[in-house]
Amino acid sequence: MGAALRSWPIISAPKKLERPQSRLVAFPIVILALLVLPVIAGLLGAALPAFGYLPVLGLEDFSLKSFIALLGAPGIGVSLALSLCAGLCTTILAFLVVMGFVAAWHGTRVFRVFRRLIAPLLSVPHAAAAFGLAFLIAPSGLLMRALSPWASGFERPPDWLIVHDPTGLAMTAGLVVKEIPFLFLMALAALPQVEAEPRLKMARALGYGRVAAFLFSVLPALYAQLRLPIFAIIAYACSVVDVALILGPTTPAPLAVRILQWQSDPDLSLRSLAAAGALAQFALAFFAICVWLALEWLVARVGAKLMASGHRFRRDGFVRHLAGATMSLAGGLVLAGLATLALWSIASFWAFPDIWPNALTLDTWRSVGATLGGPLDNALLIAGLSSLLAVVLALGALEYETRTGGTTTTRMLVALYLPLLVPQIAFLFGLDMLLVSLRLDGWLLAVILAHLVFVFPYVLLSLSQPWHALDPRYALIARSLGRSADAVFWKIRLPMLSRAIATATALGFAVSISLYLPTLLIGAGRWPTVTTEAVALSSGGDRRITAATALVQAFLPFFGFGLAALVPALLFRRRAAMRAGG
């Protein structure tokens, strides 16, 4: 993805801005403001109450009392450790699985199969995947039912704390199975940029095994382009809330969950404590990234010594099969979880240890259909508008880059990643405080703009490669025939990229559907969506209702991708070349 990002418009400085294109300069300015200002404003909004300045509550003297109170909070050390371990362990495991699989199976039929599965696996929201995993691994889950009583001897669910375990293993597992598709997608985008095939052929010709050839010749160049996505995974896993509420420990909970609890507590004096926690979460994510950099330095030294030793590591059969098995397990857990949710949503009475419910019924869906209408409408409205706005901004920025040309600047690259590198809870909390002081909290426009901050990077990533892959000779021919630059954009680029635009819109729609904290905090509870409703059910209740709600959340992204495939096919049903390309 790093290579793709280097050609992104908002990270490009124009060499020479011609007058006819000057109006397009508004796009990169708006995008930079959209990505940077909310983060800065949010961190500032958290810093002021954290240091004791909150005039609404009569606090006007700066002090460190909130931080002292935070350090004295019961179990705060455990909460910090849980968040740090979740961030690092999730990233390390996802990185090892993805790099091991790419090293072992690149260029094979198995690799192509997983490449086709990446879109459906990536589109499953984190909360839905977490619910599916919980329904699988719980003491009364499907896996235990499959082993009981013939293998386990259990006639009743064992008294084991698997979900919400105090060490956070279930939460980490839920994060790993969802971050693997994301990191795999980033690796797929970066592989062509590092010329993996020629490197692998040369290393294999020198006698290296398949895995060693990849690790020694491709990984160093590939990793340089994956560094920012990896940092984004660390920041997200350190501060995740929805997955932590569904699978994570409760006494004490990870730091991000406790911040949300303090922020939503009726006792307003806890707002300063939550603000101090938000800054601590930001510092924790930064520290986790520093730890990762130290590990990176250590691994690089070890790798250099291995390369210098001259060993070819030809016998890598076990490593190859292990890599394939772990990748299959990660994808299989997500798909099996969805299947379990579907079964629970139509189950009637289902006693343990029965592997199949006594009967199947649609009563749950009738009940959910009567209560989920409002949240479903809100989710479609917010996701639809935020994804469309993101596509418009991305197209404007890409057209600006095409007309002016540009060079990459590192500062703008970091700015583009800023909303993903800073933990959501850290700046959304402060942004919420600012909106409350301005009496703008709960506005639909504020919720949509908050979603847009997170949707836009993914939409731009999806559109960037097909945009730059479009043959520029189409535009040159049109301009030589007297067509204007605007006509080239509207009549050539947009129709020819309609399939890619539809896919990018669907991806933005899927990202927006999965967002929990921006909807909850910025919406002030006035715009419930299927995601907020599903996470709210994590505290207990009817499993059937929970399964049906989570399944609706998981189905919406599939619906978006289905429309993305259908619309271009209908528009160009009489144009064979457009159907095939796109």
Side-chain angles (χ1 to χ4, degrees), residues 141-444:
L142 199 61
L143 292 178
M144 188 60 73
R145 290 170 185 268
L147 297 173
S148 301
W150 65 274
S152 67
F154 293 128
E155 294 289 345
R156 295 179 180 178
D159 189 17
W160 294 349
L161 193 60
I162 299 176
V163 178
H164 302 302
D165 64 293
T167 56
L169 293 178
M171 177 181 68
T172 303
L175 288 169
V176 169
V177 297
K178 271 303 296 168
E179 296 309 320
I180 283 176
F182 171 72
L183 194 56
F184 187 46
L185 176 68
M186 298 300 102
L188 290 177
L191 276 172
Q193 310 301 323
V194 300
E195 298 179 341
E197 285 296 336
R199 290 171 184 258
L200 285 173
K201 288 179 179 177
M202 182 175 293
R204 295 298 303 275
L206 293 173
Y208 286 93
R210 174 183 284 271
V211 175
F214 178 87
L215 296 180
F216 292 161
S217 66
V218 178
L219 184 58
L222 181 64
Y223 178 76
Q225 305 202 36
L226 293 178
R227 186 179 279 125
L228 281 179
I230 287 172
F231 291 169
I233 293 176
I234 294 174
Y236 176 80
C238 276
S239 59
V240 67
V241 172
D242 49 358
V243 176
L245 287 171
I246 297 168
L247 294 171
T250 55
T251 51
L255 180 60
V257 176
R258 300 190 70 179
I259 295 170
L260 185 62
Q261 292 169 348
W262 292 327
Q263 194 273 342
S264 56
D265 196 287
D267 184 359
L268 296 181
S269 64
L270 293 180
R271 296 293 189 277
S272 298
L273 182 61
L279 292 189
Q281 182 69 71
F282 177 68
L284 184 72
F286 180 75
F287 176 72
I289 290 175
C290 291
V291 173
W292 177 271
L293 289 174
L295 292 174
E296 175 188 311
W297 179 85
L298 181 63
V299 172
R301 296 297 178 276
V302 174
K305 288 186 178 180
L306 285 176
M307 282 190 277
S309 69
H311 294 299
R312 270 25 182 188
F313 300 101
R314 295 187 183 93
R315 297 181 178 179
D316 56 5
F318 174 76
V319 176
R320 291 190 61 205
H321 288 97
L322 179 63
T326 50
M327 193 73 171
S328 302
L329 178 64
L333 283 175
V334 175
L335 297 178
L338 293 179
T340 307
L341 291 176
L343 188 55
W344 266 104
S345 71
I346 56 174
S348 58
F349 181 72
W350 194 357
F352 187 90
D354 296 344
I355 191 66
W356 193 258
N358 288 355
L360 302 180
T361 175
L362 294 177
D363 289 348
T364 303
W365 283 101
R366 295 190 188 96
S367 174
V368 169
T371 59
L372 210 58
L376 183 59
D377 292 342
N378 292 338
L380 293 174
L381 178 65
I382 295 169
L385 289 177
S386 60
S387 57
L388 287 176
L389 282 173
V391 168
V392 170
L393 289 174
L395 286 174
L398 286 166
E399 180 66 13
Y400 168 77
E401 180 199 38
T402 300
R403 295 190 189 186
T404 62
T407 56
T408 302
T409 63
T410 303
R411 291 179 183 177
M412 292 183 177
L413 181 64
V414 174
L416 183 62
Y417 253 103
L418 196 58
L420 303 182
L421 292 175
V422 177
Q424 289 185 16
I425 191 71
F427 75 92
L428 285 177
F429 170 79
L431 196 59
D432 178 47
M433 297 288 286
L434 286 178
L435 292 175
V436 169
S437 64
L438 297 173
R439 298 184 178 180
L440 297 176
D441 60 309
W443 284 29
L444 176 61

Side-chain angles (χ1 to χ4, degrees), residues 504-582:
T505 308
L507 179 61
F509 183 83
V511 172
S512 178
I513 288 293
S514 67
L515 290 175
Y516 173 70
L517 269 185
T519 311
L520 185 69
L521 292 180
I522 307 302
R526 299 173 193 170
W527 298 96
T529 64
V530 288
T531 300
T532 59
E533 294 299 298
V535 175
L537 292 171
S538 64
S539 57
D542 193 329
R543 280 192 176 190
R544 297 161 186 79
I545 300 292
T546 303
T549 307
L551 210 57
V552 170
Q553 190 208 13
F555 173 75
L556 288 177
F558 285 108
F559 173 73
F561 280 106
L563 275 182
L566 181 64
V567 170
L570 291 176
L571 287 176
F572 304 115
R573 61 186 182 280
R574 296 180 180 178
R575 300 182 182 183
M578 291 295 288
R579 289 200 301 270

